[in-house]
Amino acid sequence: MAPVTTPDQTPSSPPNAPPALTPEVAEATRAIWERLKGVIPEVEWAVHAPYIARIEELKRERNAVILAHNYQTPEIFHGVADIVGDSLGLAQEAVTAEADVIVLCGVHFMAETAKILNPDKTVLIPDLRAGCSLAESITGADVRELKARYPGVPVVTYVNTSADVKAESDICCTSSNAVQVVESLGVDRVIFLPDEYLAKWVATQTDVDIIRWDGTCEVHERFTAEEIRQYRRGYPDVVVLAHPECPPDVLDEADYVGSTAGMMGYVRDRQPERVVMITECSMSDNLAAENPDVEFVRPCNLCPHMKRITLPGILRSLETMEHKVEVAPEMAERAKNAVERMLAVGRGSGG
Ligand code: 13P
Ligand code: SF4
């Protein structure tokens, strides 16, 4: 006998009967297929297209908007997302979103940030297991201890953290504006949490003294400088773009360091002949679909958390209105202050 399950017990399992590829669905999704046929095999598209068509219908019925991070797979990024972006862009869009429902296709801290900024909306994340190794590396209690150890030193917190940690912070930042946020405080010393490598990158860009935490991104910490030197030996003309969550010796080898939006902007604006993106795998696929003249050398590392989000999961989320993201009001209010201070700084030199 088939086991009886509830959506909560199987958060990412597909609905029982996948929607079918009818001629109407093929017609409705043709424009997306034209864009994606260079990066998705046709046999896979036959599975994705019916989900995309059904998700579009449900978005209209629910008055929902889909915000997707740049690391989402191409069928989500190009197929169902209404707005795509880096962490800063998604936070900015969450403030102004007018739909009743925001489905956040990304990781949990991004959905939490959307809820903090727009508490009256229903914010859904399709899979609660979509976490982040940086967010896991620190708690609010850790921040309180640091503040006791360094009294009076302001706390700058990367948005890749829980609401609990943001609530203990003076101001947030993303990889786009970390340097500008640190300098906006007008002090000579800050506590910068939790990414050790981003902190080291910021320290190379400013005279402000940086006190670090030892969190790392499990995806970006795996890249090595030797790997990049190998790409350069194989492709002497290759342009190397890297995310600042990479270790310092990797960043030393890069031609450009910036947020996911910064890296995408570099490719769109400069159209390098050949590029390697030292970041999560879907970035190259998403860019390749819209930049046919750029050759992407595609070694990359997968973020297992971002990959929890799938089309069947998004459909299930819109059908069941699960999983609603909630933040306790008092904590949300304090976290919101730190996020709003960051938004006032805006986009910075990281793209
Ligand atoms: P961005 O803000 O650059 O999109 O980065 C988010 C992230 O999680 C990178 O690993
Ligand atoms: Fe977190 Fe790294 Fe995944 Fe980004 S890529 S969500 S920092 S684990």
Side-chain angles (χ1 to χ4, degrees), residues 6-14 104 106-109 111 125-133 135-136 218 303-310 312-313 316 322-323 325:
T6 66
D8 276 346
Q9 286 166 320
T10 55
S12 63
S13 59
L104 202 305
V107 292
H108 192 264
F109 75 80
I125 185 160
D127 193 316
L128 281 173
R129 296 170 300 175
C132 169
S133 65
E136 286 301 311
E218 67 187 86
C303 174
H305 311 290
M306 288 281 180
K307 267 52 219 183
R308 293 282 187 193
I309 311 299
T310 61
R316 174 190 287 276
E322 292 283 344
H323 302 274
V325 176

PDB file of all heavy atoms in Angstrom, residues 6-14 104 106-109 111 125-133 135-136 218 303-310 312-313 316 322-323 325:
ATOM      1  N   THR A   6       1.707  13.845   4.187  1.00  0.00           N
ATOM      2  CA  THR A   6       1.149  15.207   4.146  1.00  0.00           C
ATOM      3  C   THR A   6       2.205  16.087   3.516  1.00  0.00           C
ATOM      4  O   THR A   6       3.385  15.726   3.479  1.00  0.00           O
ATOM      5  CB  THR A   6       0.881  15.732   5.566  1.00  0.00           C
ATOM      6  OG1 THR A   6       2.142  15.876   6.206  1.00  0.00           O
ATOM      7  CG2 THR A   6      -0.023  14.817   6.346  1.00  0.00           C
ATOM      8  N   PRO A   7       1.828  17.295   3.035  1.00  0.00           N
ATOM      9  CA  PRO A   7       2.830  18.186   2.439  1.00  0.00           C
ATOM     10  C   PRO A   7       3.983  18.483   3.389  1.00  0.00           C
ATOM     11  O   PRO A   7       5.121  18.572   2.992  1.00  0.00           O
ATOM     12  CB  PRO A   7       2.034  19.453   2.130  1.00  0.00           C
ATOM     13  CG  PRO A   7       0.622  18.986   1.997  1.00  0.00           C
ATOM     14  CD  PRO A   7       0.485  17.811   2.939  1.00  0.00           C
ATOM     15  N   ASP A   8       3.692  18.586   4.702  1.00  0.00           N
ATOM     16  CA  ASP A   8       4.765  18.918   5.647  1.00  0.00           C
ATOM     17  C   ASP A   8       5.786  17.799   5.778  1.00  0.00           C
ATOM     18  O   ASP A   8       6.948  18.037   6.045  1.00  0.00           O
ATOM     19  CB  ASP A   8       4.171  19.213   7.026  1.00  0.00           C
ATOM     20  CG  ASP A   8       3.710  20.654   7.095  1.00  0.00           C
ATOM     21  OD1 ASP A   8       4.106  21.411   6.207  1.00  0.00           O
ATOM     22  OD2 ASP A   8       2.958  20.982   8.024  1.00  0.00           O
ATOM     23  N   GLN A   9       5.325  16.549   5.605  1.00  0.00           N
ATOM     24  CA  GLN A   9       6.264  15.442   5.760  1.00  0.00           C
ATOM     25  C   GLN A   9       7.132  15.265   4.519  1.00  0.00           C
ATOM     26  O   GLN A   9       8.213  14.735   4.584  1.00  0.00           O
ATOM     27  CB  GLN A   9       5.487  14.157   6.036  1.00  0.00           C
ATOM     28  CG  GLN A   9       4.921  14.127   7.450  1.00  0.00           C
ATOM     29  CD  GLN A   9       3.897  13.037   7.607  1.00  0.00           C
ATOM     30  OE1 GLN A   9       3.084  12.798   6.726  1.00  0.00           O
ATOM     31  NE2 GLN A   9       3.955  12.362   8.722  1.00  0.00           N
ATOM     32  N   THR A  10       6.602  15.663   3.373  1.00  0.00           N
ATOM     33  CA  THR A  10       7.358  15.509   2.130  1.00  0.00           C
ATOM     34  C   THR A  10       7.393  16.860   1.404  1.00  0.00           C
ATOM     35  O   THR A  10       6.724  17.053   0.405  1.00  0.00           O
ATOM     36  CB  THR A  10       6.708  14.462   1.209  1.00  0.00           C
ATOM     37  OG1 THR A  10       5.347  14.847   1.014  1.00  0.00           O
ATOM     38  CG2 THR A  10       6.779  13.075   1.788  1.00  0.00           C
ATOM     39  N   PRO A  11       8.171  17.793   1.951  1.00  0.00           N
ATOM     40  CA  PRO A  11       8.077  19.155   1.454  1.00  0.00           C
ATOM     41  C   PRO A  11       8.454  19.323  -0.007  1.00  0.00           C
ATOM     42  O   PRO A  11       8.037  20.279  -0.628  1.00  0.00           O
ATOM     43  CB  PRO A  11       9.021  19.944   2.349  1.00  0.00           C
ATOM     44  CG  PRO A  11       9.807  18.956   3.116  1.00  0.00           C
ATOM     45  CD  PRO A  11       9.112  17.653   3.057  1.00  0.00           C
ATOM     46  N   SER A  12       9.266  18.448  -0.580  1.00  0.00           N
ATOM     47  CA  SER A  12       9.672  18.710  -1.959  1.00  0.00           C
ATOM     48  C   SER A  12       9.164  17.651  -2.923  1.00  0.00           C
ATOM     49  O   SER A  12       9.545  17.639  -4.076  1.00  0.00           O
ATOM     50  CB  SER A  12      11.191  18.786  -2.049  1.00  0.00           C
ATOM     51  OG  SER A  12      11.732  17.554  -1.692  1.00  0.00           O
ATOM     52  N   SER A  13       8.304  16.734  -2.472  1.00  0.00           N
ATOM     53  CA  SER A  13       7.853  15.704  -3.392  1.00  0.00           C
ATOM     54  C   SER A  13       6.820  16.268  -4.356  1.00  0.00           C
ATOM     55  O   SER A  13       6.037  17.143  -4.003  1.00  0.00           O
ATOM     56  CB  SER A  13       7.271  14.528  -2.623  1.00  0.00           C
ATOM     57  OG  SER A  13       6.201  14.977  -1.837  1.00  0.00           O
ATOM     58  N   PRO A  14       6.805  15.806  -5.604  1.00  0.00           N
ATOM     59  CA  PRO A  14       5.898  16.395  -6.586  1.00  0.00           C
ATOM     60  C   PRO A  14       4.454  16.005  -6.327  1.00  0.00           C
ATOM     61  O   PRO A  14       4.188  15.018  -5.655  1.00  0.00           O
ATOM     62  CB  PRO A  14       6.388  15.798  -7.909  1.00  0.00           C
ATOM     63  CG  PRO A  14       7.153  14.585  -7.542  1.00  0.00           C
ATOM     64  CD  PRO A  14       7.662  14.773  -6.159  1.00  0.00           C
ATOM     65  N   LEU A 104       8.981  33.015  -2.669  1.00  0.00           N
ATOM     66  CA  LEU A 104      10.413  33.304  -2.756  1.00  0.00           C
ATOM     67  C   LEU A 104      11.140  32.037  -3.183  1.00  0.00           C
ATOM     68  O   LEU A 104      11.226  31.070  -2.420  1.00  0.00           O
ATOM     69  CB  LEU A 104      10.909  33.825  -1.392  1.00  0.00           C
ATOM     70  CG  LEU A 104      12.195  34.665  -1.375  1.00  0.00           C
ATOM     71  CD1 LEU A 104      13.378  33.947  -2.021  1.00  0.00           C
ATOM     72  CD2 LEU A 104      11.999  36.012  -2.054  1.00  0.00           C
ATOM     73  N   GLY A 106      14.379  30.793  -3.552  1.00  0.00           N
ATOM     74  CA  GLY A 106      15.742  31.069  -3.112  1.00  0.00           C
ATOM     75  C   GLY A 106      15.883  30.338  -1.796  1.00  0.00           C
ATOM     76  O   GLY A 106      15.190  29.345  -1.568  1.00  0.00           O
ATOM     77  N   VAL A 107      16.726  30.859  -0.904  1.00  0.00           N
ATOM     78  CA  VAL A 107      16.890  30.167   0.377  1.00  0.00           C
ATOM     79  C   VAL A 107      16.148  30.906   1.500  1.00  0.00           C
ATOM     80  O   VAL A 107      15.647  32.016   1.304  1.00  0.00           O
ATOM     81  CB  VAL A 107      18.386  29.946   0.708  1.00  0.00           C
ATOM     82  CG1 VAL A 107      18.981  28.936  -0.263  1.00  0.00           C
ATOM     83  CG2 VAL A 107      19.154  31.238   0.689  1.00  0.00           C
ATOM     84  N   HIS A 108      16.095  30.257   2.673  1.00  0.00           N
ATOM     85  CA  HIS A 108      15.169  30.704   3.712  1.00  0.00           C
ATOM     86  C   HIS A 108      15.421  32.140   4.156  1.00  0.00           C
ATOM     87  O   HIS A 108      14.472  32.910   4.363  1.00  0.00           O
ATOM     88  CB  HIS A 108      15.241  29.747   4.912  1.00  0.00           C
ATOM     89  CG  HIS A 108      14.129  29.966   5.883  1.00  0.00           C
ATOM     90  ND1 HIS A 108      14.275  30.743   7.010  1.00  0.00           N
ATOM     91  CD2 HIS A 108      12.846  29.544   5.880  1.00  0.00           C
ATOM     92  CE1 HIS A 108      13.126  30.772   7.665  1.00  0.00           C
ATOM     93  NE2 HIS A 108      12.245  30.059   7.008  1.00  0.00           N
ATOM     94  N   PHE A 109      16.711  32.538   4.283  1.00  0.00           N
ATOM     95  CA  PHE A 109      16.942  33.902   4.784  1.00  0.00           C
ATOM     96  C   PHE A 109      16.372  34.940   3.824  1.00  0.00           C
ATOM     97  O   PHE A 109      15.989  36.042   4.232  1.00  0.00           O
ATOM     98  CB  PHE A 109      18.438  34.152   5.087  1.00  0.00           C
ATOM     99  CG  PHE A 109      19.311  34.361   3.874  1.00  0.00           C
ATOM    100  CD1 PHE A 109      19.370  35.583   3.219  1.00  0.00           C
ATOM    101  CD2 PHE A 109      20.097  33.328   3.393  1.00  0.00           C
ATOM    102  CE1 PHE A 109      20.179  35.774   2.111  1.00  0.00           C
ATOM    103  CE2 PHE A 109      20.922  33.511   2.292  1.00  0.00           C
ATOM    104  CZ  PHE A 109      20.951  34.728   1.647  1.00  0.00           C
ATOM    105  N   ALA A 111      13.585  34.593   2.027  1.00  0.00           N
ATOM    106  CA  ALA A 111      12.140  34.647   2.274  1.00  0.00           C
ATOM    107  C   ALA A 111      11.860  35.390   3.578  1.00  0.00           C
ATOM    108  O   ALA A 111      10.924  36.197   3.676  1.00  0.00           O
ATOM    109  CB  ALA A 111      11.587  33.232   2.325  1.00  0.00           C
ATOM    110  N   ILE A 125       7.798  29.906   0.984  1.00  0.00           N
ATOM    111  CA  ILE A 125       9.009  29.284   0.454  1.00  0.00           C
ATOM    112  C   ILE A 125       8.627  27.843   0.101  1.00  0.00           C
ATOM    113  O   ILE A 125       8.025  27.136   0.922  1.00  0.00           O
ATOM    114  CB  ILE A 125      10.207  29.378   1.421  1.00  0.00           C
ATOM    115  CG1 ILE A 125      11.459  28.817   0.742  1.00  0.00           C
ATOM    116  CG2 ILE A 125       9.954  28.668   2.745  1.00  0.00           C
ATOM    117  CD1 ILE A 125      12.775  29.274   1.361  1.00  0.00           C
ATOM    118  N   PRO A 126       8.923  27.400  -1.127  1.00  0.00           N
ATOM    119  CA  PRO A 126       8.453  26.075  -1.545  1.00  0.00           C
ATOM    120  C   PRO A 126       9.068  24.917  -0.775  1.00  0.00           C
ATOM    121  O   PRO A 126       8.487  23.836  -0.741  1.00  0.00           O
ATOM    122  CB  PRO A 126       8.846  26.017  -3.030  1.00  0.00           C
ATOM    123  CG  PRO A 126       8.914  27.457  -3.455  1.00  0.00           C
ATOM    124  CD  PRO A 126       9.432  28.196  -2.256  1.00  0.00           C
ATOM    125  N   ASP A 127      10.233  25.102  -0.163  1.00  0.00           N
ATOM    126  CA  ASP A 127      10.852  23.996   0.574  1.00  0.00           C
ATOM    127  C   ASP A 127      11.589  24.557   1.778  1.00  0.00           C
ATOM    128  O   ASP A 127      12.543  25.326   1.621  1.00  0.00           O
ATOM    129  CB  ASP A 127      11.831  23.236  -0.343  1.00  0.00           C
ATOM    130  CG  ASP A 127      12.241  21.903   0.274  1.00  0.00           C
ATOM    131  OD1 ASP A 127      12.541  21.878   1.483  1.00  0.00           O
ATOM    132  OD2 ASP A 127      12.257  20.903  -0.457  1.00  0.00           O
ATOM    133  N   LEU A 128      11.150  24.141   2.966  1.00  0.00           N
ATOM    134  CA  LEU A 128      11.742  24.684   4.199  1.00  0.00           C
ATOM    135  C   LEU A 128      13.183  24.252   4.406  1.00  0.00           C
ATOM    136  O   LEU A 128      13.895  24.808   5.233  1.00  0.00           O
ATOM    137  CB  LEU A 128      10.908  24.240   5.404  1.00  0.00           C
ATOM    138  CG  LEU A 128       9.621  25.018   5.651  1.00  0.00           C
ATOM    139  CD1 LEU A 128       8.819  24.355   6.761  1.00  0.00           C
ATOM    140  CD2 LEU A 128       9.936  26.466   6.009  1.00  0.00           C
ATOM    141  N   ARG A 129      13.613  23.234   3.661  1.00  0.00           N
ATOM    142  CA  ARG A 129      14.995  22.771   3.848  1.00  0.00           C
ATOM    143  C   ARG A 129      16.009  23.643   3.104  1.00  0.00           C
ATOM    144  O   ARG A 129      17.208  23.388   3.174  1.00  0.00           O
ATOM    145  CB  ARG A 129      15.115  21.324   3.379  1.00  0.00           C
ATOM    146  CG  ARG A 129      14.275  20.362   4.210  1.00  0.00           C
ATOM    147  CD  ARG A 129      14.218  18.999   3.578  1.00  0.00           C
ATOM    148  NE  ARG A 129      13.629  19.057   2.245  1.00  0.00           N
ATOM    149  CZ  ARG A 129      13.533  18.024   1.417  1.00  0.00           C
ATOM    150  NH1 ARG A 129      13.980  16.849   1.779  1.00  0.00           N
ATOM    151  NH2 ARG A 129      12.974  18.169   0.235  1.00  0.00           N
ATOM    152  N   ALA A 130      15.543  24.651   2.380  1.00  0.00           N
ATOM    153  CA  ALA A 130      16.461  25.514   1.622  1.00  0.00           C
ATOM    154  C   ALA A 130      17.164  26.474   2.584  1.00  0.00           C
ATOM    155  O   ALA A 130      16.736  27.609   2.781  1.00  0.00           O
ATOM    156  CB  ALA A 130      15.691  26.274   0.543  1.00  0.00           C
ATOM    157  N   GLY A 131      18.236  26.003   3.187  1.00  0.00           N
ATOM    158  CA  GLY A 131      18.958  26.797   4.189  1.00  0.00           C
ATOM    159  C   GLY A 131      20.190  27.461   3.591  1.00  0.00           C
ATOM    160  O   GLY A 131      20.246  27.759   2.399  1.00  0.00           O
ATOM    161  N   CYS A 132      21.206  27.686   4.429  1.00  0.00           N
ATOM    162  CA  CYS A 132      22.432  28.342   3.958  1.00  0.00           C
ATOM    163  C   CYS A 132      23.499  28.114   5.026  1.00  0.00           C
ATOM    164  O   CYS A 132      23.234  28.342   6.213  1.00  0.00           O
ATOM    165  CB  CYS A 132      22.184  29.831   3.768  1.00  0.00           C
ATOM    166  SG  CYS A 132      23.676  30.801   3.481  1.00  0.00           S
ATOM    167  N   SER A 133      24.683  27.674   4.613  1.00  0.00           N
ATOM    168  CA  SER A 133      25.718  27.364   5.608  1.00  0.00           C
ATOM    169  C   SER A 133      26.168  28.616   6.366  1.00  0.00           C
ATOM    170  O   SER A 133      26.587  28.522   7.520  1.00  0.00           O
ATOM    171  CB  SER A 133      26.925  26.690   4.938  1.00  0.00           C
ATOM    172  OG  SER A 133      27.565  27.573   4.047  1.00  0.00           O
ATOM    173  N   ALA A 135      24.149  31.229   7.156  1.00  0.00           N
ATOM    174  CA  ALA A 135      23.094  31.524   8.131  1.00  0.00           C
ATOM    175  C   ALA A 135      23.170  30.553   9.313  1.00  0.00           C
ATOM    176  O   ALA A 135      22.876  30.925  10.455  1.00  0.00           O
ATOM    177  CB  ALA A 135      21.726  31.456   7.456  1.00  0.00           C
ATOM    178  N   GLU A 136      23.597  29.322   9.035  1.00  0.00           N
ATOM    179  CA  GLU A 136      23.705  28.306  10.094  1.00  0.00           C
ATOM    180  C   GLU A 136      24.885  28.551  11.027  1.00  0.00           C
ATOM    181  O   GLU A 136      24.964  27.949  12.100  1.00  0.00           O
ATOM    182  CB  GLU A 136      23.897  26.917   9.453  1.00  0.00           C
ATOM    183  CG  GLU A 136      22.660  26.348   8.812  1.00  0.00           C
ATOM    184  CD  GLU A 136      21.517  26.188   9.800  1.00  0.00           C
ATOM    185  OE1 GLU A 136      21.747  25.631  10.882  1.00  0.00           O
ATOM    186  OE2 GLU A 136      20.404  26.659   9.490  1.00  0.00           O
ATOM    187  N   GLU A 218      29.545  27.038   1.972  1.00  0.00           N
ATOM    188  CA  GLU A 218      30.024  25.698   1.615  1.00  0.00           C
ATOM    189  C   GLU A 218      30.202  25.528   0.104  1.00  0.00           C
ATOM    190  O   GLU A 218      30.856  24.588  -0.327  1.00  0.00           O
ATOM    191  CB  GLU A 218      29.032  24.650   2.141  1.00  0.00           C
ATOM    192  CG  GLU A 218      27.679  24.701   1.449  1.00  0.00           C
ATOM    193  CD  GLU A 218      26.654  23.781   2.094  1.00  0.00           C
ATOM    194  OE1 GLU A 218      26.006  24.215   3.062  1.00  0.00           O
ATOM    195  OE2 GLU A 218      26.494  22.666   1.621  1.00  0.00           O
ATOM    196  N   CYS A 303      24.815  24.735  -5.230  1.00  0.00           N
ATOM    197  CA  CYS A 303      24.314  24.999  -3.876  1.00  0.00           C
ATOM    198  C   CYS A 303      23.148  24.042  -3.628  1.00  0.00           C
ATOM    199  O   CYS A 303      22.079  24.188  -4.232  1.00  0.00           O
ATOM    200  CB  CYS A 303      23.842  26.443  -3.726  1.00  0.00           C
ATOM    201  SG  CYS A 303      23.075  26.712  -2.103  1.00  0.00           S
ATOM    202  N   PRO A 304      23.343  23.073  -2.722  1.00  0.00           N
ATOM    203  CA  PRO A 304      22.283  22.081  -2.515  1.00  0.00           C
ATOM    204  C   PRO A 304      21.013  22.699  -1.951  1.00  0.00           C
ATOM    205  O   PRO A 304      19.923  22.166  -2.131  1.00  0.00           O
ATOM    206  CB  PRO A 304      22.909  21.099  -1.504  1.00  0.00           C
ATOM    207  CG  PRO A 304      23.993  21.865  -0.830  1.00  0.00           C
ATOM    208  CD  PRO A 304      24.494  22.879  -1.817  1.00  0.00           C
ATOM    209  N   HIS A 305      21.161  23.844  -1.274  1.00  0.00           N
ATOM    210  CA  HIS A 305      19.982  24.499  -0.681  1.00  0.00           C
ATOM    211  C   HIS A 305      19.138  25.181  -1.754  1.00  0.00           C
ATOM    212  O   HIS A 305      17.913  25.047  -1.775  1.00  0.00           O
ATOM    213  CB  HIS A 305      20.431  25.515   0.374  1.00  0.00           C
ATOM    214  CG  HIS A 305      21.423  24.947   1.337  1.00  0.00           C
ATOM    215  ND1 HIS A 305      21.072  24.006   2.262  1.00  0.00           N
ATOM    216  CD2 HIS A 305      22.763  25.145   1.473  1.00  0.00           C
ATOM    217  CE1 HIS A 305      22.152  23.661   2.959  1.00  0.00           C
ATOM    218  NE2 HIS A 305      23.191  24.336   2.487  1.00  0.00           N
ATOM    219  N   MET A 306      19.815  25.898  -2.636  1.00  0.00           N
ATOM    220  CA  MET A 306      19.086  26.548  -3.737  1.00  0.00           C
ATOM    221  C   MET A 306      18.383  25.499  -4.595  1.00  0.00           C
ATOM    222  O   MET A 306      17.296  25.745  -5.124  1.00  0.00           O
ATOM    223  CB  MET A 306      20.067  27.343  -4.608  1.00  0.00           C
ATOM    224  CG  MET A 306      20.591  28.588  -3.947  1.00  0.00           C
ATOM    225  SD  MET A 306      19.360  29.911  -4.060  1.00  0.00           S
ATOM    226  CE  MET A 306      20.230  31.242  -3.212  1.00  0.00           C
ATOM    227  N   LYS A 307      19.006  24.334  -4.718  1.00  0.00           N
ATOM    228  CA  LYS A 307      18.456  23.291  -5.593  1.00  0.00           C
ATOM    229  C   LYS A 307      17.285  22.542  -4.956  1.00  0.00           C
ATOM    230  O   LYS A 307      16.683  21.668  -5.595  1.00  0.00           O
ATOM    231  CB  LYS A 307      19.562  22.315  -6.019  1.00  0.00           C
ATOM    232  CG  LYS A 307      20.224  22.665  -7.350  1.00  0.00           C
ATOM    233  CD  LYS A 307      20.716  24.065  -7.454  1.00  0.00           C
ATOM    234  CE  LYS A 307      20.523  24.707  -8.787  1.00  0.00           C
ATOM    235  NZ  LYS A 307      21.079  26.062  -8.904  1.00  0.00           N
ATOM    236  N   ARG A 308      16.945  22.857  -3.707  1.00  0.00           N
ATOM    237  CA  ARG A 308      15.727  22.313  -3.104  1.00  0.00           C
ATOM    238  C   ARG A 308      14.489  22.866  -3.815  1.00  0.00           C
ATOM    239  O   ARG A 308      13.400  22.303  -3.719  1.00  0.00           O
ATOM    240  CB  ARG A 308      15.632  22.722  -1.632  1.00  0.00           C
ATOM    241  CG  ARG A 308      16.683  22.100  -0.753  1.00  0.00           C
ATOM    242  CD  ARG A 308      16.328  20.681  -0.436  1.00  0.00           C
ATOM    243  NE  ARG A 308      17.244  20.118   0.533  1.00  0.00           N
ATOM    244  CZ  ARG A 308      17.322  18.836   0.809  1.00  0.00           C
ATOM    245  NH1 ARG A 308      16.554  17.973   0.165  1.00  0.00           N
ATOM    246  NH2 ARG A 308      18.167  18.397   1.706  1.00  0.00           N
ATOM    247  N   ILE A 309      14.639  24.020  -4.439  1.00  0.00           N
ATOM    248  CA  ILE A 309      13.477  24.662  -5.073  1.00  0.00           C
ATOM    249  C   ILE A 309      13.329  24.110  -6.492  1.00  0.00           C
ATOM    250  O   ILE A 309      14.260  24.190  -7.299  1.00  0.00           O
ATOM    251  CB  ILE A 309      13.641  26.199  -5.107  1.00  0.00           C
ATOM    252  CG1 ILE A 309      14.038  26.749  -3.722  1.00  0.00           C
ATOM    253  CG2 ILE A 309      12.361  26.862  -5.624  1.00  0.00           C
ATOM    254  CD1 ILE A 309      13.052  26.490  -2.614  1.00  0.00           C
ATOM    255  N   THR A 310      12.162  23.555  -6.769  1.00  0.00           N
ATOM    256  CA  THR A 310      11.893  22.929  -8.068  1.00  0.00           C
ATOM    257  C   THR A 310      10.518  23.391  -8.563  1.00  0.00           C
ATOM    258  O   THR A 310       9.708  23.905  -7.783  1.00  0.00           O
ATOM    259  CB  THR A 310      11.850  21.398  -7.919  1.00  0.00           C
ATOM    260  OG1 THR A 310      10.783  21.084  -6.995  1.00  0.00           O
ATOM    261  CG2 THR A 310      13.169  20.840  -7.377  1.00  0.00           C
ATOM    262  N   PRO A 312       7.931  21.418  -9.453  1.00  0.00           N
ATOM    263  CA  PRO A 312       6.861  20.741  -8.707  1.00  0.00           C
ATOM    264  C   PRO A 312       6.674  21.325  -7.307  1.00  0.00           C
ATOM    265  O   PRO A 312       5.546  21.444  -6.818  1.00  0.00           O
ATOM    266  CB  PRO A 312       7.340  19.280  -8.644  1.00  0.00           C
ATOM    267  CG  PRO A 312       8.237  19.130  -9.824  1.00  0.00           C
ATOM    268  CD  PRO A 312       8.917  20.462  -9.986  1.00  0.00           C
ATOM    269  N   GLY A 313       7.769  21.709  -6.674  1.00  0.00           N
ATOM    270  CA  GLY A 313       7.682  22.301  -5.330  1.00  0.00           C
ATOM    271  C   GLY A 313       6.977  23.651  -5.362  1.00  0.00           C
ATOM    272  O   GLY A 313       6.193  23.976  -4.461  1.00  0.00           O
ATOM    273  N   ARG A 316       3.290  23.008  -5.867  1.00  0.00           N
ATOM    274  CA  ARG A 316       2.699  22.532  -4.611  1.00  0.00           C
ATOM    275  C   ARG A 316       2.504  23.707  -3.638  1.00  0.00           C
ATOM    276  O   ARG A 316       1.482  23.806  -2.955  1.00  0.00           O
ATOM    277  CB  ARG A 316       3.606  21.484  -3.965  1.00  0.00           C
ATOM    278  CG  ARG A 316       3.136  21.044  -2.583  1.00  0.00           C
ATOM    279  CD  ARG A 316       4.187  20.203  -1.916  1.00  0.00           C
ATOM    280  NE  ARG A 316       4.272  18.890  -2.513  1.00  0.00           N
ATOM    281  CZ  ARG A 316       3.489  17.863  -2.181  1.00  0.00           C
ATOM    282  NH1 ARG A 316       2.567  18.034  -1.256  1.00  0.00           N
ATOM    283  NH2 ARG A 316       3.625  16.700  -2.750  1.00  0.00           N
ATOM    284  N   GLU A 322       1.664  26.607   1.239  1.00  0.00           N
ATOM    285  CA  GLU A 322       2.711  26.216   2.176  1.00  0.00           C
ATOM    286  C   GLU A 322       4.065  26.533   1.535  1.00  0.00           C
ATOM    287  O   GLU A 322       4.174  26.449   0.318  1.00  0.00           O
ATOM    288  CB  GLU A 322       2.651  24.707   2.444  1.00  0.00           C
ATOM    289  CG  GLU A 322       1.430  24.254   3.221  1.00  0.00           C
ATOM    290  CD  GLU A 322       1.543  24.571   4.709  1.00  0.00           C
ATOM    291  OE1 GLU A 322       2.670  24.861   5.163  1.00  0.00           O
ATOM    292  OE2 GLU A 322       0.521  24.556   5.394  1.00  0.00           O
ATOM    293  N   HIS A 323       5.091  26.830   2.184  1.00  0.00           N
ATOM    294  CA  HIS A 323       5.241  26.996   3.618  1.00  0.00           C
ATOM    295  C   HIS A 323       5.272  28.485   3.922  1.00  0.00           C
ATOM    296  O   HIS A 323       6.137  29.197   3.396  1.00  0.00           O
ATOM    297  CB  HIS A 323       6.542  26.336   4.081  1.00  0.00           C
ATOM    298  CG  HIS A 323       6.579  24.870   3.721  1.00  0.00           C
ATOM    299  ND1 HIS A 323       6.037  23.909   4.529  1.00  0.00           N
ATOM    300  CD2 HIS A 323       7.049  24.245   2.637  1.00  0.00           C
ATOM    301  CE1 HIS A 323       6.202  22.713   3.968  1.00  0.00           C
ATOM    302  NE2 HIS A 323       6.813  22.897   2.822  1.00  0.00           N
ATOM    303  N   VAL A 325       6.172  31.786   5.690  1.00  0.00           N
ATOM    304  CA  VAL A 325       7.308  32.244   6.501  1.00  0.00           C
ATOM    305  C   VAL A 325       6.790  33.275   7.490  1.00  0.00           C
ATOM    306  O   VAL A 325       6.115  34.226   7.099  1.00  0.00           O
ATOM    307  CB  VAL A 325       8.402  32.855   5.595  1.00  0.00           C
ATOM    308  CG1 VAL A 325       9.549  33.426   6.411  1.00  0.00           C
ATOM    309  CG2 VAL A 325       8.903  31.805   4.609  1.00  0.00           C
TER     310      VAL A 325
END
